[in-house]
Amino acid sequence: MSADDVGGPRQPMLRVRQLVKHFPLKGQWGRGAGTVCAVDGIDFEVLKGETLGVVGESGCGKSTTARLLMHLIERTGGEIDFDGRTVGGRGLTLKDFRRQVQMVFQDSYSSLNPRLTIEDSVAFGPQVHGVEARTSVSRARELLARVGLEPRRFAERYPHELSGGQRQRVNIARALALQPRLIILDEAVSALDKSVEAQVLNLLLDLKEEFGLTYLFISHDLNVVRYISDRVMVMYLGQVVEIGASEEIFVAPKHPYTKALLASMPSMDPDRRTQEAPLAGDPPNPIDPPPGCRFHTRCKFAEPVCITRVPTLAGDGHAVACLMHEPGSGHSRAAGAAA
Amino acid sequence: MSPTPDDPLVLVRDLRVTFTGGRAPVQAVSGVDLTVHRGEAVALIGESGSGKSVTLRALLRLHSPKRTVMEGTIRVVGQDVLALGGRALADYRGKVASMIFQEPLLALDPVYTVGKQIVESILRHENVSATDARKRALQLFERVRIPSPERRLDAYPHEMSGGMRQRAMIALALACNPQVLLADEPTTALDATVQIQILLLLRELQRELGLAIVFVTHDIGAAIEVADRIAVMYAGRIVEEGPARTLIRAPRHPYTLALLQSRAHGALAKGSRLQTIGGSPPDLAHLPQGCAFAERCRFAADACLATQPPALELAPGHQARCLRTEATAAAANAVTAMA
């Protein structure tokens, strides 16, 4: 148990309520040209010690959510509580929060300073937080060894002298240097080759056990998300459409979008190749998203009520935002519909 | 001698590509044999640096002649590709074989409308009027199922969504009725629900137009969806090649088996670790004398380090460059028996 823990194991690590991020677009002659609704009122919790997977297509707001959680960009609205305390409020300064929450990005090269040796990169964070230089460097070497980079061979190297997989190990070591409790992994293995990806995933699982970490794992690769996550959150155009235990989402998905997303995964059986694409067209633009249920433009079960009524995310444990699962919503497939 | 209908459309023999621009010459491709018939789709799979894209680009002679040495034979539709020069090479590109790339936004010209680029390509290769060329462009847009094709012809690449741009690039590639379509990771940059649409479109074009398709990907799933045959590349050589079904169900090269086993997939138990391939690929500037995979191979014997294993015919159309195929067979069977 970390010394930073205040609320005990039952209190969620992270509680997000009605989180909103709108990016205003600049039009010509200083006029506004609309708004990108990147994240539009999402609620979720990350429990202590779990891995929450986040999936969705480009423009669904998964990376914006990560950046909002890290306070890298300012939110338009909503609340983020970390272990029961508001970030920046009483008891938890932003600096203190950032020590406990770290992030690993997709591009392993651009997220490292090219002018620092990797040892210095890993030692940099602790020094900012008041750790003596000598101590932080020796700790950095321990961490490099832990992520599989022999310090005597690698510590003095610069990022461009490493392969993509090795650089991502450095990024993981750097995230660990501050002894965080929550690590946000934003497509952290997506740019790696499959065999390297497997090595990094194994490393992430080992580190999680060893240090009692909590992960928020963002990826577009559904196989990887299923493998690593305890719970999965599915996003579509800035909203959460379904959230629940990983196996429930993958074995018994409820939302038509989740179903289509899973059915779009290429088949691994040459005798059972996909015969028909589950969805037509691309995801709509998050500028001026469709009214009502945002998925209605691509949903084969859409009815007029889906255009006018906004579904709410409801359900204990396995929650879904779809009018077909909302009793009395007026959708012909919903419970309580007139026969 | 004119080619007969049974001749393969693509015939590559002992292709060697060496890049001489750096300090030491890099042997990106060292002895690739590849045969593709009319109406057949072959996928080249492998990790970064395996030579799959270099092989593909060699088929269209896209490597800089100043910094590249190409040896061996490439015959495409009866033409000796390595001997083509100037005008003949320009005629060959697009008319006999054409290519679609991973990132259509980079491959298409941003300052011309997509329709204009297709018309230009047709006028360059064929003696038709601009009106007829435009008519053909419209048909192509319908062929690749771009909605409201008339309007989209006048769109600039940036005005289209990712999936639409990839369709437009396929239309451009097909503008002069080539017999061979080369695809370099055509769906890697796309979202899951769009990727499957493009894969199905390629399969349909292969079937209906009788195209020979050479498809480069690092995603085994995408290869299975499109390809009749799969060739696995490692360190500039095809280490195993066979019908997709055989290769997935009964791999005989240890690298193929390792690739299949390192994938995260649904059947894995929670918390179990993925199988990984230790070490890293060899330096292409200093290739070992023996099998390039031997250093990382769990079945490697002394003989593997001494000589380059020849291609061994295991069944009609199924070959592996390995001295220990029986060891891989036993390991692959053990896995199947467990499942």
Side-chain angles (χ1 to χ4, degrees):
Chain A
M1 187 60 46
S2 161
D4 294 314
D5 200 327
V6 287
R10 311 273 292 251
Q11 172 151 289
M13 184 69 88
L14 201 65
R15 178 176 284 155
V16 174
R17 279 188 301 269
Q18 283 305 305
L19 188 63
V20 177
K21 179 66 191 178
H22 288 173
F23 294 101
L25 288 174
K26 280 202 189 107
Q28 283 178 319
W29 318 115
R31 270 178 312 189
T35 315
V36 180
C37 306
V39 171
D40 222 4
I42 61 172
D43 296 89
F44 67 94
E45 291 175 350
V46 183
L47 309 178
K48 280 179 183 159
E50 78 166 346
T51 300
L52 176 68
V54 183
V55 297
E57 296 175 280
S58 48
C60 75
K62 49 191 197 302
S63 288
T64 306
T65 304
R67 283 165 169 73
L68 287 169
L69 295 179
M70 282 302 292
H71 293 70
L72 291 175
I73 49 177
E74 222 167 289
R75 56 185 185 262
T76 311
E79 284 168 50
I80 301 171
D81 288 354
F82 182 75
D83 204 2
R85 294 180 297 182
T86 311
V87 182
R90 199 181 308 169
L92 187 68
T93 61
L94 184 59
K95 187 171 172 180
D96 215 15
F97 168 79
R98 286 219 172 115
R99 185 176 59 72
Q100 297 184 50
V101 184
Q102 286 288 302
M103 187 159 172
V104 178
F105 299 86
Q106 171 168 8
D107 187 335
S108 63
Y109 189 67
S110 70
S111 49
L112 286 171
N113 186 334
R115 292 167 176 244
L116 292 185
T117 61
I118 60 169
E119 163 188 80
D120 289 341
S121 268
V122 176
F124 192 87
Q127 284 171 22
V128 169
H129 285 267
V131 177
E132 204 195 322
R134 281 233 327 260
T135 322
S136 66
V137 170
S138 71
R139 169 125 179 92
R141 291 177 152 254
E142 279 168 38
L143 282 167
L144 287 174
R146 181 63 199 82
V147 298
L149 297 171
E150 170 57 41
R152 254 176 299 177
R153 241 180 100 196
F154 290 102
E156 311 274 308
R157 292 202 193 178
Y158 288 90
H160 72 267
E161 298 173 297
L162 301 177
S163 71
Q166 289 168 339
R167 277 199 297 267
Q168 207 56 307
R169 287 171 189 270
V170 176
N171 281 311
I172 293 169
R174 181 180 60 180
L176 290 171
L178 291 160
Q179 292 166 292
R181 300 164 67 197
L182 171 68
I183 298 185
I184 298 174
L185 301 145
D186 188 1
E187 303 273 10
V189 297
S190 304
L192 305 176
D193 274 323
K194 279 287 165 226
S195 66
V196 182
E197 177 185 280
Q199 293 169 4
V200 175
L201 287 173
N202 284 347
L203 174 68
L204 288 172
L205 286 176
D206 291 343
L207 294 172
K208 180 166 184 262
E209 277 172 17
E210 191 176 328
F211 297 107
L213 298 167
T214 301
Y215 288 153
L216 184 78
F217 189 91
I218 299 172
S219 178
H220 68 278
D221 186 332
L222 299 164
N223 280 315
V224 171
V225 168
R226 180 177 188 179
Y227 167 71
I228 203 165
S229 309
D230 301 302
R231 290 194 308 138
V232 172
M233 174 162 98
V234 185
M235 293 185 69
Y236 187 76
L237 283 184
Q239 296 181 328
V240 177
V241 295
E242 189 163 2
I243 183 168
S246 175
E247 279 317 290
E248 278 190 47
I249 298 280
F250 280 93
V251 176
K254 289 181 176 169
H255 198 283
Y257 175 64
T258 313
K259 289 180 184 170
L261 198 60
L262 295 178
S264 300
M265 288 161 77
S267 158
M268 277 304 288
D269 185 347
D271 289 325
R272 264 180 284 169
R273 303 208 290 195
T274 310
Q275 294 310 317
E276 199 184 340
L279 291 181
D282 294 63
N285 198 327
I287 307 169
D288 307 319
C293 171
R294 292 189 174 178
F295 186 57
H296 81 255
T297 52
R298 300 171 85 196
C299 181
K300 60 179 167 182
F301 303 110
E303 294 184 2
V305 64
C306 299
I307 302 167
T308 53
R309 187 168 165 161
V310 179
T312 46
L313 187 69
D316 275 337
H318 186 173
V320 58
C322 175
L323 295 178
M324 291 193 286
H325 295 276
E326 218 169 277
S329 65
H331 194 287
S332 67
R333 287 165 178 264
Chain B
M1 210 174 73
S2 66
T4 67
D6 286 344
D7 280 348
L9 291 186
V10 178
L11 187 77
V12 177
R13 285 294 168 262
D14 198 29
L15 177 69
R16 288 163 191 278
V17 182
T18 311
F19 294 126
T20 53
R23 254 172 283 169
V26 172
Q27 285 179 43
V29 175
S30 15
V32 158
D33 295 335
L34 189 69
T35 308
V36 191
H37 288 91
R38 183 181 306 280
E40 188 181 42
V42 176
L44 293 180
I45 66 172
E47 301 183 280
S48 338
S50 63
K52 53 191 197 304
S53 288
V54 175
T55 304
L56 195 77
R57 278 152 199 257
L59 287 171
L60 217 52
R61 290 263 306 275
L62 292 181
H63 299 296
S64 155
K66 276 189 195 151
R67 291 187 297 268
T68 318
V69 178
M70 293 208 280
E71 294 156 295
T73 319
I74 303 178
R75 293 192 78 81
V76 178
V77 197
Q79 296 194 46
D80 182 356
V81 176
L82 294 184
L84 293 177
R87 180 95 201 161
L89 182 61
D91 282 343
Y92 162 78
R93 291 174 179 158
K95 183 102 179 103
V96 178
S98 62
M99 190 178 286
I100 52 178
F101 297 89
Q102 177 174 347
E103 190 38 86
L105 203 54
L106 299 177
L108 294 167
D109 193 324
V111 302
Y112 295 101
T113 63
V114 182
K116 204 160 186 168
Q117 296 179 50
I118 296 178
V119 168
E120 185 193 359
S121 169
I122 297 171
L123 292 178
R124 160 66 183 76
H125 285 286
E126 283 169 42
N127 193 12
V128 293
S129 72
T131 327
D132 286 344
R134 166 119 187 153
K135 238 182 251 165
R136 171 109 64 91
L138 184 63
Q139 283 166 1
L140 284 162
F141 262 38
E142 285 163 356
R143 187 76 267 276
V144 299
R145 296 225 206 79
I146 291 181
S148 26
E150 187 89 46
R151 193 161 54 85
R152 301 276 187 209
L153 276 178
D154 296 321
Y156 290 91
H158 75 270
E159 295 174 314
M160 300 177 132
S161 64
M164 202 83 81
R165 273 200 291 269
Q166 196 56 281
R167 284 173 196 272
M169 186 148 75
I170 295 173
L172 176 59
L174 296 178
C176 298
N177 304 313
Q179 301 182 55
V180 178
L181 184 65
L182 310 170
D184 190 3
E185 304 259 11
T187 61
T188 306
L190 301 175
D191 281 319
T193 59
V194 183
Q195 155 167 302
I196 193 73
Q197 298 171 28
I198 299 294
L199 292 175
L200 292 177
L201 175 67
L202 286 174
R203 218 159 81 192
E204 183 188 313
L205 293 170
Q206 170 213 357
R207 199 175 50 230
E208 292 178 9
L209 305 178
L211 289 171
I213 296 183
V214 186
F215 180 86
V216 161
T217 180
H218 67 274
D219 181 352
I220 303 176
I224 292 173
E225 286 288 0
V226 171
D228 306 303
R229 280 192 299 130
I230 297 179
V232 181
M233 290 196 68
Y234 187 80
R237 288 189 183 89
I238 293 179
V239 292
E240 184 167 7
E241 185 189 342
R245 196 172 287 116
T246 317
L247 208 98
I248 300 306
R249 301 230 176 101
R252 288 297 174 260
H253 194 286
Y255 179 64
T256 315
L257 181 66
L259 261 192
L260 288 168
Q261 287 181 339
S262 67
R263 290 181 74 253
H265 56 85
L268 283 167
K270 267 280 118 55
S272 65
R273 299 297 187 266
L274 294 167
Q275 295 212 23
T276 57
I277 312 173
S280 47
D283 182 353
L284 295 173
H286 305 97
L287 279 174
Q289 188 188 5
C291 168
F293 187 61
E295 202 193 312
R296 310 170 74 188
C297 179
R298 52 182 156 146
F299 306 127
D302 288 345
C304 302
L305 300 167
T307 53
Q308 193 49 239
L312 186 70
E313 180 106 14
L314 300 153
H318 184 196
Q319 298 162 357
R321 281 182 184 275
C322 179
L323 301 173
R324 309 276 332 262
T325 47
E326 80 296 341
T328 312
N333 288 339
V335 173
T336 332
M338 270 195 309

